[in-house]
Amino acid sequence: SGESTRFVHSTDESDDRQDEYIQTGKLLHALFATIRTEADIDAAVDKMLSDGVIESRSKAESLKNQIMDHIEKSGVHDWFNGNYLLYNEASIIYRDGGALQTRRPDRVMIRPDGTAIIVDFKFGREREEYLHQVQEYMDLLHKMGYPKVEGHIWYVYKNKIQTV
C-alpha cells in the first residue's frame, strides 16, 4: 500500500529526502482536501497535529507556511476565497455499462453562474495520465448538466497550474 513506504528502512540520505518529500505531499494533499478557504488552514493543520497525524508543532508551522506559500506563488487565491459552492473529495457515481463506477476529483468549485471548476492536486512529476483523469472528470460533470466546465491540474510543489 501507499503507507508501506513509511516502514522501509533507508540507509541512503537521498532516499530519506525522497521519503520526506512523499510524506509531506500526502499531508499537504490531505490538508487541501479539508481546506475550504485560506482562513481554514490554521485549524486544519492544528487538528492534524492534535490527532497525531503531524508529529510536531514545528512541522505543523512548516506546513502552514508551505500551504500559504503555494497558494500565493501559484496565484490561486480565488480558489480559496469562499465564493464558490465547493465539493472537496466528493464522489461522482455513474454507470459504465451495467457497472457502477466512482470517481473522486480533489476539488470541484461551482461559480454563481453555474461554471464548474475542477482542480486535481499533484505533488510529483507531470504525467500525461493526469490530463486524461481530469478530462474524465470534466466529461462526467458535463453529463451531470454543467454546461461550462474548466479543468486544472495543480502541481503544488512546482507552483504550476496546467489547464486541461
Side-chain angles (χ1 to χ4, degrees):
S1 77
E3 294 299 311
S4 64
T5 59
R6 296 177 64 193
F7 299 104
V8 176
H9 178 69
S10 173
T11 57
D12 183 29
E13 188 175 315
S14 66
D15 287 347
D16 290 342
R17 280 194 305 260
Q18 180 70 15
D19 188 54
E20 175 65 20
Y21 184 80
I22 291 168
Q23 294 310 315
T24 299
K26 288 179 182 180
L27 283 172
L28 287 170
H29 195 280
L31 285 163
F32 278 118
T34 62
I35 295 168
R36 299 182 71 73
T37 70
E38 288 182 64
D40 298 332
I41 295 169
D42 285 348
V45 173
D46 290 344
K47 178 161 181 8
M48 283 188 146
L49 177 64
S50 69
D51 289 348
V53 176
I54 299 171
E55 69 273 3
S56 69
R57 171 63 54 196
S58 64
K59 179 68 174 182
E61 292 304 315
S62 173
L63 287 167
K64 289 177 188 179
N65 291 333
Q66 285 181 56
I67 292 168
M68 290 302 297
D69 188 55
H70 289 303
I71 289 172
E72 176 71 30
K73 288 181 178 170
S74 297
V76 296
H77 284 285
D78 66 312
W79 290 352
F80 297 91
N81 66 11
N83 292 335
Y84 298 97
L85 178 59
L86 178 65
Y87 300 96
N88 277 341
E89 298 280 340
S91 294
I92 300 171
I93 301 169
Y94 66 100
R95 274 200 194 277
D96 185 12
L100 283 178
Q101 301 289 323
T102 303
R103 296 292 179 265
R104 187 177 300 173
D106 292 334
R107 187 175 185 94
V108 176
M109 300 168 286
I110 310 298
R111 286 189 185 134
D113 70 0
T115 300
I117 302 167
I118 299 165
V119 178
D120 216 43
F121 310 118
K122 300 299 181 189
F123 295 87
R125 293 184 199 100
E126 295 180 40
R127 296 184 183 188
E128 184 77 20
E129 66 197 63
Y130 299 152
L131 294 168
H132 300 292
Q133 178 185 16
V134 172
Q135 185 62 57
E136 181 180 28
Y137 299 153
M138 293 171 68
D139 293 344
L140 288 169
L141 285 174
H142 274 297
K143 289 177 184 175
M144 292 170 63
Y146 291 96
K148 187 169 182 204
V149 180
E150 299 175 12
H152 305 280
I153 302 167
W154 181 11
Y155 292 97
V156 177
Y157 283 144
K158 292 181 177 184
N159 298 312
K160 178 182 177 181
I161 308 296
Q162 184 176 22
T163 300
V164 179

PDB file of all heavy atoms in Angstrom, residues 83-106:
ATOM      1  N   ASN A  83     -16.076  32.016  -2.283  1.00  0.00           N
ATOM      2  CA  ASN A  83     -17.131  32.490  -3.188  1.00  0.00           C
ATOM      3  C   ASN A  83     -17.724  31.403  -4.075  1.00  0.00           C
ATOM      4  O   ASN A  83     -18.502  31.708  -4.966  1.00  0.00           O
ATOM      5  CB  ASN A  83     -16.597  33.625  -4.075  1.00  0.00           C
ATOM      6  CG  ASN A  83     -16.311  34.870  -3.270  1.00  0.00           C
ATOM      7  OD1 ASN A  83     -16.884  35.087  -2.208  1.00  0.00           O
ATOM      8  ND2 ASN A  83     -15.412  35.691  -3.771  1.00  0.00           N
ATOM      9  N   TYR A  84     -17.351  30.166  -3.865  1.00  0.00           N
ATOM     10  CA  TYR A  84     -17.829  29.058  -4.684  1.00  0.00           C
ATOM     11  C   TYR A  84     -18.635  28.080  -3.839  1.00  0.00           C
ATOM     12  O   TYR A  84     -18.401  27.946  -2.639  1.00  0.00           O
ATOM     13  CB  TYR A  84     -16.659  28.257  -5.264  1.00  0.00           C
ATOM     14  CG  TYR A  84     -15.747  29.027  -6.174  1.00  0.00           C
ATOM     15  CD1 TYR A  84     -14.572  29.584  -5.699  1.00  0.00           C
ATOM     16  CD2 TYR A  84     -16.040  29.164  -7.525  1.00  0.00           C
ATOM     17  CE1 TYR A  84     -13.712  30.282  -6.539  1.00  0.00           C
ATOM     18  CE2 TYR A  84     -15.186  29.847  -8.375  1.00  0.00           C
ATOM     19  CZ  TYR A  84     -14.029  30.411  -7.879  1.00  0.00           C
ATOM     20  OH  TYR A  84     -13.187  31.082  -8.711  1.00  0.00           O
ATOM     21  N   LEU A  85     -19.547  27.382  -4.486  1.00  0.00           N
ATOM     22  CA  LEU A  85     -20.123  26.186  -3.890  1.00  0.00           C
ATOM     23  C   LEU A  85     -19.038  25.141  -4.061  1.00  0.00           C
ATOM     24  O   LEU A  85     -18.554  24.922  -5.171  1.00  0.00           O
ATOM     25  CB  LEU A  85     -21.397  25.786  -4.628  1.00  0.00           C
ATOM     26  CG  LEU A  85     -22.109  24.527  -4.151  1.00  0.00           C
ATOM     27  CD1 LEU A  85     -22.510  24.656  -2.690  1.00  0.00           C
ATOM     28  CD2 LEU A  85     -23.337  24.281  -5.015  1.00  0.00           C
ATOM     29  N   LEU A  86     -18.604  24.524  -2.978  1.00  0.00           N
ATOM     30  CA  LEU A  86     -17.395  23.705  -3.007  1.00  0.00           C
ATOM     31  C   LEU A  86     -17.677  22.260  -2.652  1.00  0.00           C
ATOM     32  O   LEU A  86     -18.405  21.965  -1.703  1.00  0.00           O
ATOM     33  CB  LEU A  86     -16.374  24.283  -2.018  1.00  0.00           C
ATOM     34  CG  LEU A  86     -15.066  23.546  -1.852  1.00  0.00           C
ATOM     35  CD1 LEU A  86     -14.255  23.574  -3.146  1.00  0.00           C
ATOM     36  CD2 LEU A  86     -14.257  24.161  -0.719  1.00  0.00           C
ATOM     37  N   TYR A  87     -17.053  21.364  -3.416  1.00  0.00           N
ATOM     38  CA  TYR A  87     -17.096  19.934  -3.142  1.00  0.00           C
ATOM     39  C   TYR A  87     -15.656  19.437  -3.100  1.00  0.00           C
ATOM     40  O   TYR A  87     -15.005  19.314  -4.133  1.00  0.00           O
ATOM     41  CB  TYR A  87     -17.877  19.186  -4.233  1.00  0.00           C
ATOM     42  CG  TYR A  87     -19.309  19.653  -4.354  1.00  0.00           C
ATOM     43  CD1 TYR A  87     -19.671  20.604  -5.301  1.00  0.00           C
ATOM     44  CD2 TYR A  87     -20.292  19.154  -3.508  1.00  0.00           C
ATOM     45  CE1 TYR A  87     -20.975  21.040  -5.409  1.00  0.00           C
ATOM     46  CE2 TYR A  87     -21.600  19.589  -3.609  1.00  0.00           C
ATOM     47  CZ  TYR A  87     -21.934  20.534  -4.560  1.00  0.00           C
ATOM     48  OH  TYR A  87     -23.232  20.967  -4.657  1.00  0.00           O
ATOM     49  N   ASN A  88     -15.150  19.185  -1.902  1.00  0.00           N
ATOM     50  CA  ASN A  88     -13.813  18.615  -1.726  1.00  0.00           C
ATOM     51  C   ASN A  88     -13.929  17.107  -1.619  1.00  0.00           C
ATOM     52  O   ASN A  88     -14.677  16.593  -0.781  1.00  0.00           O
ATOM     53  CB  ASN A  88     -13.153  19.145  -0.444  1.00  0.00           C
ATOM     54  CG  ASN A  88     -12.494  20.483  -0.629  1.00  0.00           C
ATOM     55  OD1 ASN A  88     -12.199  20.904  -1.731  1.00  0.00           O
ATOM     56  ND2 ASN A  88     -12.244  21.167   0.474  1.00  0.00           N
ATOM     57  N   GLU A  89     -13.199  16.386  -2.471  1.00  0.00           N
ATOM     58  CA  GLU A  89     -13.154  14.929  -2.421  1.00  0.00           C
ATOM     59  C   GLU A  89     -14.546  14.299  -2.458  1.00  0.00           C
ATOM     60  O   GLU A  89     -14.807  13.297  -1.802  1.00  0.00           O
ATOM     61  CB  GLU A  89     -12.411  14.455  -1.158  1.00  0.00           C
ATOM     62  CG  GLU A  89     -10.962  14.879  -1.086  1.00  0.00           C
ATOM     63  CD  GLU A  89     -10.030  14.015  -1.923  1.00  0.00           C
ATOM     64  OE1 GLU A  89     -10.396  12.875  -2.277  1.00  0.00           O
ATOM     65  OE2 GLU A  89      -8.939  14.500  -2.243  1.00  0.00           O
ATOM     66  N   ALA A  90     -15.447  14.883  -3.236  1.00  0.00           N
ATOM     67  CA  ALA A  90     -16.807  14.354  -3.361  1.00  0.00           C
ATOM     68  C   ALA A  90     -16.847  13.313  -4.477  1.00  0.00           C
ATOM     69  O   ALA A  90     -16.294  13.528  -5.556  1.00  0.00           O
ATOM     70  CB  ALA A  90     -17.792  15.477  -3.651  1.00  0.00           C
ATOM     71  N   SER A  91     -17.499  12.206  -4.212  1.00  0.00           N
ATOM     72  CA  SER A  91     -17.575  11.123  -5.192  1.00  0.00           C
ATOM     73  C   SER A  91     -18.605  11.425  -6.271  1.00  0.00           C
ATOM     74  O   SER A  91     -19.685  11.937  -5.993  1.00  0.00           O
ATOM     75  CB  SER A  91     -17.955   9.814  -4.515  1.00  0.00           C
ATOM     76  OG  SER A  91     -16.933   9.396  -3.648  1.00  0.00           O
ATOM     77  N   ILE A  92     -18.244  11.094  -7.504  1.00  0.00           N
ATOM     78  CA  ILE A  92     -19.171  11.114  -8.634  1.00  0.00           C
ATOM     79  C   ILE A  92     -19.441   9.644  -8.959  1.00  0.00           C
ATOM     80  O   ILE A  92     -18.520   8.898  -9.296  1.00  0.00           O
ATOM     81  CB  ILE A  92     -18.562  11.820  -9.854  1.00  0.00           C
ATOM     82  CG1 ILE A  92     -18.210  13.275  -9.527  1.00  0.00           C
ATOM     83  CG2 ILE A  92     -19.522  11.738 -11.045  1.00  0.00           C
ATOM     84  CD1 ILE A  92     -17.418  13.980 -10.615  1.00  0.00           C
ATOM     85  N   ILE A  93     -20.694   9.244  -8.831  1.00  0.00           N
ATOM     86  CA  ILE A  93     -21.074   7.851  -9.078  1.00  0.00           C
ATOM     87  C   ILE A  93     -21.841   7.805 -10.396  1.00  0.00           C
ATOM     88  O   ILE A  93     -22.752   8.605 -10.622  1.00  0.00           O
ATOM     89  CB  ILE A  93     -21.944   7.310  -7.923  1.00  0.00           C
ATOM     90  CG1 ILE A  93     -21.162   7.415  -6.607  1.00  0.00           C
ATOM     91  CG2 ILE A  93     -22.367   5.867  -8.198  1.00  0.00           C
ATOM     92  CD1 ILE A  93     -21.999   7.157  -5.373  1.00  0.00           C
ATOM     93  N   TYR A  94     -21.449   6.889 -11.267  1.00  0.00           N
ATOM     94  CA  TYR A  94     -22.070   6.789 -12.575  1.00  0.00           C
ATOM     95  C   TYR A  94     -22.047   5.339 -13.033  1.00  0.00           C
ATOM     96  O   TYR A  94     -21.356   4.505 -12.472  1.00  0.00           O
ATOM     97  CB  TYR A  94     -21.349   7.700 -13.582  1.00  0.00           C
ATOM     98  CG  TYR A  94     -19.931   7.288 -13.865  1.00  0.00           C
ATOM     99  CD1 TYR A  94     -19.607   6.563 -15.016  1.00  0.00           C
ATOM    100  CD2 TYR A  94     -18.899   7.598 -12.977  1.00  0.00           C
ATOM    101  CE1 TYR A  94     -18.303   6.165 -15.263  1.00  0.00           C
ATOM    102  CE2 TYR A  94     -17.601   7.214 -13.222  1.00  0.00           C
ATOM    103  CZ  TYR A  94     -17.308   6.498 -14.364  1.00  0.00           C
ATOM    104  OH  TYR A  94     -16.019   6.100 -14.603  1.00  0.00           O
ATOM    105  N   ARG A  95     -22.829   5.070 -14.079  1.00  0.00           N
ATOM    106  CA  ARG A  95     -22.856   3.731 -14.668  1.00  0.00           C
ATOM    107  C   ARG A  95     -21.989   3.708 -15.910  1.00  0.00           C
ATOM    108  O   ARG A  95     -22.068   4.569 -16.760  1.00  0.00           O
ATOM    109  CB  ARG A  95     -24.270   3.342 -15.057  1.00  0.00           C
ATOM    110  CG  ARG A  95     -25.011   2.755 -13.946  1.00  0.00           C
ATOM    111  CD  ARG A  95     -26.208   1.948 -14.426  1.00  0.00           C
ATOM    112  NE  ARG A  95     -27.047   1.711 -13.278  1.00  0.00           N
ATOM    113  CZ  ARG A  95     -26.841   0.730 -12.399  1.00  0.00           C
ATOM    114  NH1 ARG A  95     -25.852  -0.101 -12.590  1.00  0.00           N
ATOM    115  NH2 ARG A  95     -27.615   0.593 -11.359  1.00  0.00           N
ATOM    116  N   ASP A  96     -21.188   2.668 -15.993  1.00  0.00           N
ATOM    117  CA  ASP A  96     -20.402   2.396 -17.184  1.00  0.00           C
ATOM    118  C   ASP A  96     -20.828   1.012 -17.635  1.00  0.00           C
ATOM    119  O   ASP A  96     -20.418   0.012 -17.045  1.00  0.00           O
ATOM    120  CB  ASP A  96     -18.905   2.452 -16.877  1.00  0.00           C
ATOM    121  CG  ASP A  96     -18.040   2.284 -18.111  1.00  0.00           C
ATOM    122  OD1 ASP A  96     -18.583   2.349 -19.237  1.00  0.00           O
ATOM    123  OD2 ASP A  96     -16.825   2.070 -17.957  1.00  0.00           O
ATOM    124  N   GLY A  97     -21.684   0.968 -18.652  1.00  0.00           N
ATOM    125  CA  GLY A  97     -22.317  -0.300 -18.995  1.00  0.00           C
ATOM    126  C   GLY A  97     -23.296  -0.625 -17.881  1.00  0.00           C
ATOM    127  O   GLY A  97     -24.121   0.178 -17.514  1.00  0.00           O
ATOM    128  N   GLY A  98     -23.152  -1.781 -17.275  1.00  0.00           N
ATOM    129  CA  GLY A  98     -24.021  -2.148 -16.170  1.00  0.00           C
ATOM    130  C   GLY A  98     -23.405  -1.907 -14.804  1.00  0.00           C
ATOM    131  O   GLY A  98     -24.080  -1.991 -13.790  1.00  0.00           O
ATOM    132  N   ALA A  99     -22.120  -1.602 -14.778  1.00  0.00           N
ATOM    133  CA  ALA A  99     -21.404  -1.498 -13.503  1.00  0.00           C
ATOM    134  C   ALA A  99     -21.371  -0.066 -12.984  1.00  0.00           C
ATOM    135  O   ALA A  99     -21.193   0.883 -13.746  1.00  0.00           O
ATOM    136  CB  ALA A  99     -19.977  -2.009 -13.663  1.00  0.00           C
ATOM    137  N   LEU A 100     -21.542   0.058 -11.679  1.00  0.00           N
ATOM    138  CA  LEU A 100     -21.390   1.361 -11.041  1.00  0.00           C
ATOM    139  C   LEU A 100     -19.906   1.678 -10.909  1.00  0.00           C
ATOM    140  O   LEU A 100     -19.100   0.827 -10.526  1.00  0.00           O
ATOM    141  CB  LEU A 100     -22.024   1.367  -9.647  1.00  0.00           C
ATOM    142  CG  LEU A 100     -23.536   1.461  -9.587  1.00  0.00           C
ATOM    143  CD1 LEU A 100     -24.017   1.411  -8.136  1.00  0.00           C
ATOM    144  CD2 LEU A 100     -24.042   2.729 -10.258  1.00  0.00           C
ATOM    145  N   GLN A 101     -19.563   2.913 -11.223  1.00  0.00           N
ATOM    146  CA  GLN A 101     -18.188   3.392 -11.117  1.00  0.00           C
ATOM    147  C   GLN A 101     -18.170   4.631 -10.232  1.00  0.00           C
ATOM    148  O   GLN A 101     -19.175   5.333 -10.114  1.00  0.00           O
ATOM    149  CB  GLN A 101     -17.634   3.770 -12.500  1.00  0.00           C
ATOM    150  CG  GLN A 101     -17.623   2.638 -13.494  1.00  0.00           C
ATOM    151  CD  GLN A 101     -16.584   1.591 -13.156  1.00  0.00           C
ATOM    152  OE1 GLN A 101     -15.496   1.900 -12.693  1.00  0.00           O
ATOM    153  NE2 GLN A 101     -16.933   0.333 -13.375  1.00  0.00           N
ATOM    154  N   THR A 102     -17.027   4.906  -9.641  1.00  0.00           N
ATOM    155  CA  THR A 102     -16.870   6.088  -8.805  1.00  0.00           C
ATOM    156  C   THR A 102     -15.594   6.816  -9.191  1.00  0.00           C
ATOM    157  O   THR A 102     -14.558   6.192  -9.396  1.00  0.00           O
ATOM    158  CB  THR A 102     -16.780   5.694  -7.309  1.00  0.00           C
ATOM    159  OG1 THR A 102     -17.948   4.965  -6.958  1.00  0.00           O
ATOM    160  CG2 THR A 102     -16.684   6.919  -6.430  1.00  0.00           C
ATOM    161  N   ARG A 103     -15.682   8.129  -9.286  1.00  0.00           N
ATOM    162  CA  ARG A 103     -14.520   8.988  -9.488  1.00  0.00           C
ATOM    163  C   ARG A 103     -14.578  10.069  -8.414  1.00  0.00           C
ATOM    164  O   ARG A 103     -15.669  10.479  -8.001  1.00  0.00           O
ATOM    165  CB  ARG A 103     -14.513   9.633 -10.881  1.00  0.00           C
ATOM    166  CG  ARG A 103     -14.398   8.644 -12.012  1.00  0.00           C
ATOM    167  CD  ARG A 103     -13.017   7.972 -12.033  1.00  0.00           C
ATOM    168  NE  ARG A 103     -12.908   7.003 -13.098  1.00  0.00           N
ATOM    169  CZ  ARG A 103     -13.122   5.702 -12.959  1.00  0.00           C
ATOM    170  NH1 ARG A 103     -13.489   5.208 -11.802  1.00  0.00           N
ATOM    171  NH2 ARG A 103     -12.977   4.883 -13.982  1.00  0.00           N
ATOM    172  N   ARG A 104     -13.413  10.524  -7.975  1.00  0.00           N
ATOM    173  CA  ARG A 104     -13.383  11.496  -6.895  1.00  0.00           C
ATOM    174  C   ARG A 104     -12.366  12.602  -7.189  1.00  0.00           C
ATOM    175  O   ARG A 104     -11.200  12.500  -6.812  1.00  0.00           O
ATOM    176  CB  ARG A 104     -13.035  10.806  -5.579  1.00  0.00           C
ATOM    177  CG  ARG A 104     -13.168  11.751  -4.399  1.00  0.00           C
ATOM    178  CD  ARG A 104     -12.898  11.074  -3.092  1.00  0.00           C
ATOM    179  NE  ARG A 104     -13.846   9.986  -2.929  1.00  0.00           N
ATOM    180  CZ  ARG A 104     -13.811   9.111  -1.956  1.00  0.00           C
ATOM    181  NH1 ARG A 104     -12.873   9.176  -1.051  1.00  0.00           N
ATOM    182  NH2 ARG A 104     -14.698   8.157  -1.867  1.00  0.00           N
ATOM    183  N   PRO A 105     -12.812  13.679  -7.832  1.00  0.00           N
ATOM    184  CA  PRO A 105     -11.909  14.816  -8.031  1.00  0.00           C
ATOM    185  C   PRO A 105     -11.539  15.435  -6.684  1.00  0.00           C
ATOM    186  O   PRO A 105     -12.319  15.383  -5.729  1.00  0.00           O
ATOM    187  CB  PRO A 105     -12.720  15.797  -8.865  1.00  0.00           C
ATOM    188  CG  PRO A 105     -14.029  15.170  -9.135  1.00  0.00           C
ATOM    189  CD  PRO A 105     -14.132  13.897  -8.381  1.00  0.00           C
ATOM    190  N   ASP A 106     -10.351  16.023  -6.620  1.00  0.00           N
ATOM    191  CA  ASP A 106      -9.901  16.618  -5.370  1.00  0.00           C
ATOM    192  C   ASP A 106     -10.757  17.812  -4.960  1.00  0.00           C
ATOM    193  O   ASP A 106     -11.117  17.952  -3.798  1.00  0.00           O
ATOM    194  CB  ASP A 106      -8.435  17.066  -5.481  1.00  0.00           C
ATOM    195  CG  ASP A 106      -7.486  15.897  -5.601  1.00  0.00           C
ATOM    196  OD1 ASP A 106      -7.821  14.788  -5.123  1.00  0.00           O
ATOM    197  OD2 ASP A 106      -6.394  16.081  -6.172  1.00  0.00           O
TER     198      ASP A 106
END
